[in-house]
Amino acid sequence: MTQTATDTFTVTNPATGESVGSFPVHTADDIAERLAAGREAQVWWSGLTFAERKTRINRWIAAIATRSDEICDLGFRETGRPRGDVQFELIAGLEDLRWAAAHAKRVLKPRKVAPGMALFNFGAEVSYPPLGVAGVIAPWNVPIYTVLCGLAYALAAGNAAIVKPSEYAPASSVLVMDAFYDANPDAPRGLITWVTGFADTGSALCRAGLDKIAFTGSVPTGRKVMAACAENLTPVLLELGGKDVTIVAEDADVEKAATAVVWGGYFNGGQACVGIERVYVTRAVREPFLAKVKELAEQVTAGLEDGASYGPMIVPAQIDLVRRHVSAAVEAGAIALVGGVDSIRAPFVDPIVLVDVPEDNAAVQEETFGPVIVINTVADVEEAIAKANATRFGLGSSVFSARRGKEIAARLKAGGTTINSVLTFVGMPSVPFGGIGDSGFGRFHGDDGLREFAAPKATTTKRFQLGPDMQSFPRREEDFEQVRKMVKFRYAKRRGA
Ligand code: NAD
């Protein structure tokens, strides 16, 4: 594809201001050009067998892995995160590609189904043709992972895709996408294309008449995406924000819970949709839990380069949000167990733990998206579950309990729950990933993730004529009489189970 945009913008390292590269601001015309190329390429791609697509995706995985040092370096430079964290999201993205390619045939190949008694003279088949050209809009916090996640399921299902990475971190994912053509020089260049720019470019993508938009980002933007897509009735998948919770029950292994919460809260500087932002600890284990969290959190360091536990806040506006939430909590009487407002030394924010924050406080109800963990004490698990479910979000969650993990997990309103660990459902491509409530709808990952990018189709075949032909005129009284008898025979004696 040629780049036709004339305006450009510069991407800089948020910690040093170093320029990482310059990217075009693409317009609706650029998107229209990519869509036309995508439609052509998709015909070629969907004409391949599942095995042929899998081979090409596997070649792409190998090409990405070969260039992984270069990709992680670019990811470090554009977000300031430790290279280890970039490596972490790259592995998660590669696992998505591998899993989707390996399982697409099992999930999406046509299958015969029972036609049912009333139409048993028919054959019935369900098939899963691709949608066409999908749009993938991605955020800045895990830019490679969120791009690969959308692409994996869209491509494995037989679609072409146009990707819009975040304006804050497009460089690493553009390199990853371009590696597809290094590995597959025979593929038409419209199969995976990308556009860069700001809200207007994303909005134009939503309005361009694509066959699906898979959006990962914030709740306010998710609303705009859905409204823009409504104009053409373009279906949407929304992976939005979270306020993920951990419950620490009376019978929890407190040391393991504290270790996991500190990692889950501060991984990526808390700039993770599934980061642990709230903890409900039962009174019986409050003191040892708080002591261990404090001990561990004080060892966590924010900084640049690989010695740091996490890097800078990637977007300046996030620093103001963290300040607002921490100030609101402290003003409302919360205890700053670790750090406090003084921990904010832009562009870095040192680890903060807030204890006993009122439930209606912004620090409990709104997504903070920074290294801030709120820990509130509850009398028992019942109270913990009620409070855990009392936000508008429902992305991830976790529970620590020796005996009641499954029971508590089943009652948490969230797209995923991890028992006696945190976040693991995200790194497992075999299970669906997504949210409920303000955390969005639709799923990446797993069989459901592949079906997101297909249009289930029913094909029924008449095999022979059986009894009266009810699909013809004129209708005879005796035919209705037969149907009447059939209704009574089949349904009248049903008793519950
Ligand atoms: P954002 O909503 O500001 O931006 C996301 C993307 O949307 C960017 O590429 C942006 O340019 C684009 N965009 C902006 N305005 C648009 C518009 N009007 N129409 C179409 N596209 C538009 O989000 P962000 O700040 O980049 O990312 C942080 C948010 O993403 C957090 O809320 C986080 O929880 C969420 N997130 C969710 C998941 C998940 O899987 N649920 C994963 C990662 C991040």
Side-chain angles (χ1 to χ4, degrees):
M1 299 292 303
T2 52
Q3 302 289 355
T4 50
T6 47
D7 288 348
T8 59
F9 63 100
T10 303
V11 176
T12 55
N13 181 315
T16 64
E18 173 216 350
S19 166
V20 180
S22 166
F23 290 83
V25 178
H26 286 115
T27 63
D29 288 345
D30 300 316
I31 292 168
E33 187 197 330
R34 281 158 180 70
L35 180 56
R39 296 228 173 278
E40 218 170 278
Q42 194 267 334
V43 172
W44 172 80
W45 183 242
S46 62
L48 301 179
T49 63
F50 283 106
E52 287 165 340
R53 290 204 287 266
K54 180 171 149 188
T55 301
R56 284 168 169 81
I57 291 175
N58 279 331
R59 280 189 209 140
W60 182 26
I61 292 173
I64 295 171
T66 307
R67 299 182 72 177
S68 64
D69 289 344
E70 193 187 339
I71 293 164
C72 289
D73 188 58
L74 206 46
F76 158 70
R77 287 171 50 217
E78 69 182 340
T79 62
R81 295 172 306 154
R83 288 175 181 80
D85 280 5
V86 183
Q87 188 86 59
F88 201 71
E89 62 154 324
L90 182 65
I91 292 169
L94 292 178
E95 269 303 295
D96 273 321
L97 283 178
R98 184 201 62 73
W99 192 92
H103 291 267
K105 182 174 179 186
R106 174 183 62 76
V107 178
L108 300 175
K109 72 170 190 259
R111 60 188 165 89
K112 291 199 175 355
V113 295
M117 197 194 91
L119 290 165
F120 87 91
N121 52 327
F122 279 76
E125 191 180 90
V126 181
S127 57
Y128 295 91
L131 299 171
V133 182
V136 176
I137 303 180
W140 44 264
N141 64 318
V142 273
I144 302 172
Y145 171 67
T146 44
V147 163
L148 283 183
C149 206
L151 278 176
Y153 299 89
L155 285 185
N159 301 278
I162 305 176
V163 177
K164 154 120 182 37
S166 167
E167 57 272 36
Y168 290 100
S172 52
S173 48
V174 161
L175 186 58
V176 163
M177 287 187 273
D178 288 349
F180 180 86
Y181 297 104
D182 299 341
N184 296 288
D186 64 325
R189 304 293 287 190
L191 187 62
I192 302 174
T193 53
W194 49 265
V195 287
T196 46
F198 302 89
D200 283 352
T201 305
S203 179
L205 190 62
C206 296
R207 293 185 159 86
L210 275 70
D211 302 298
K212 182 142 194 168
I213 293 289
F215 171 79
T216 306
S218 64
V219 177
T221 310
R223 286 204 173 90
K224 289 181 195 159
V225 165
M226 199 167 162
C229 286
E231 290 174 14
N232 290 313
L233 293 180
T234 302
V236 287
L237 182 167
L238 298 180
E239 296 282 359
L240 308 179
K243 191 76 188 172
D244 284 8
V245 69
T246 297
I247 291 179
V248 184
E250 294 91 340
D251 62 346
D253 181 324
V254 168
E255 293 234 338
K256 286 201 177 120
T259 306
V261 160
V262 168
W263 180 78
Y266 300 137
F267 162 71
N268 219 38
Q271 299 164 112
C273 55
V274 287
I276 307 295
E277 299 207 0
R278 294 180 296 152
V279 180
Y280 292 104
V281 59
T282 47
R283 186 158 292 123
V285 292
R286 169 189 162 103
E287 292 312 323
F289 178 73
L290 289 184
K292 191 69 191 171
V293 167
K294 182 171 164 56
E295 176 197 326
L296 295 173
E298 283 174 347
Q299 295 165 26
V300 174
T301 54
L304 199 59
E305 298 295 342
D306 288 336
S309 313
Y310 59 81
M313 299 300 285
I314 299 167
V315 173
Q318 285 303 123
I319 299 171
D320 297 334
L321 184 62
V322 170
R323 185 178 287 109
R324 182 164 70 78
H325 284 184
V326 176
S327 304
V330 172
E331 277 161 25
I335 300 162
L337 182 72
V338 177
V341 180
D342 291 346
S343 307
I344 302 165
R345 44 179 188 95
F348 299 100
V349 178
D350 294 323
I352 299 171
V353 179
L354 301 170
V355 176
D356 300 338
V357 186
E359 286 297 312
D360 60 355
N361 196 273
V364 177
Q365 293 298 329
E366 295 174 18
E367 182 180 47
T368 306
F369 222 60
V372 182
I373 302 173
V374 168
I375 305 177
N376 282 350
T377 305
V378 286
D380 52 25
V381 160
E382 282 307 310
E383 188 185 345
I385 294 171
K387 288 185 167 163
N389 288 338
T391 72
R392 294 176 59 84
F393 296 103
L395 191 55
S397 55
S398 49
V399 51
F400 286 82
S401 169
R403 286 175 297 278
R404 299 182 60 190
K406 283 211 168 152
E407 173 210 330
I408 298 167
R411 294 174 61 196
L412 288 176
K413 290 188 188 157
T417 304
T418 299
I419 300 170
N420 294 330
S421 181
V422 291
L423 269 68
T424 40
F425 50 86
V426 192
M428 227 180 258
S430 53
V431 293
F433 175 65
I436 58 172
D438 275 8
S439 294
F441 50 80
R443 295 293 180 263
F444 285 139
H445 291 189
D447 297 5
D448 303 277
L450 282 164
R451 289 198 189 111
E452 282 285 345
F453 294 94
K457 180 172 181 191
T459 306
T460 54
T461 310
K462 187 164 185 176
R463 294 184 300 169
F464 55 88
Q465 180 59 42
L466 182 77
D469 186 356
M470 297 303 287
Q471 291 179 302
S472 65
F473 293 114
R475 287 180 170 157
R476 299 175 312 166
E477 202 43 49
E478 57 264 41
D479 296 340
F480 280 112
E481 184 53 23
Q482 274 200 33
V483 173
R484 198 179 66 85
K485 281 185 187 154
M486 202 269 276
V487 167
K488 299 228 157 134
F489 169 75
R490 186 161 165 76
Y491 304 109
K493 291 204 175 113
R494 299 214 153 215
R495 298 274 179 275

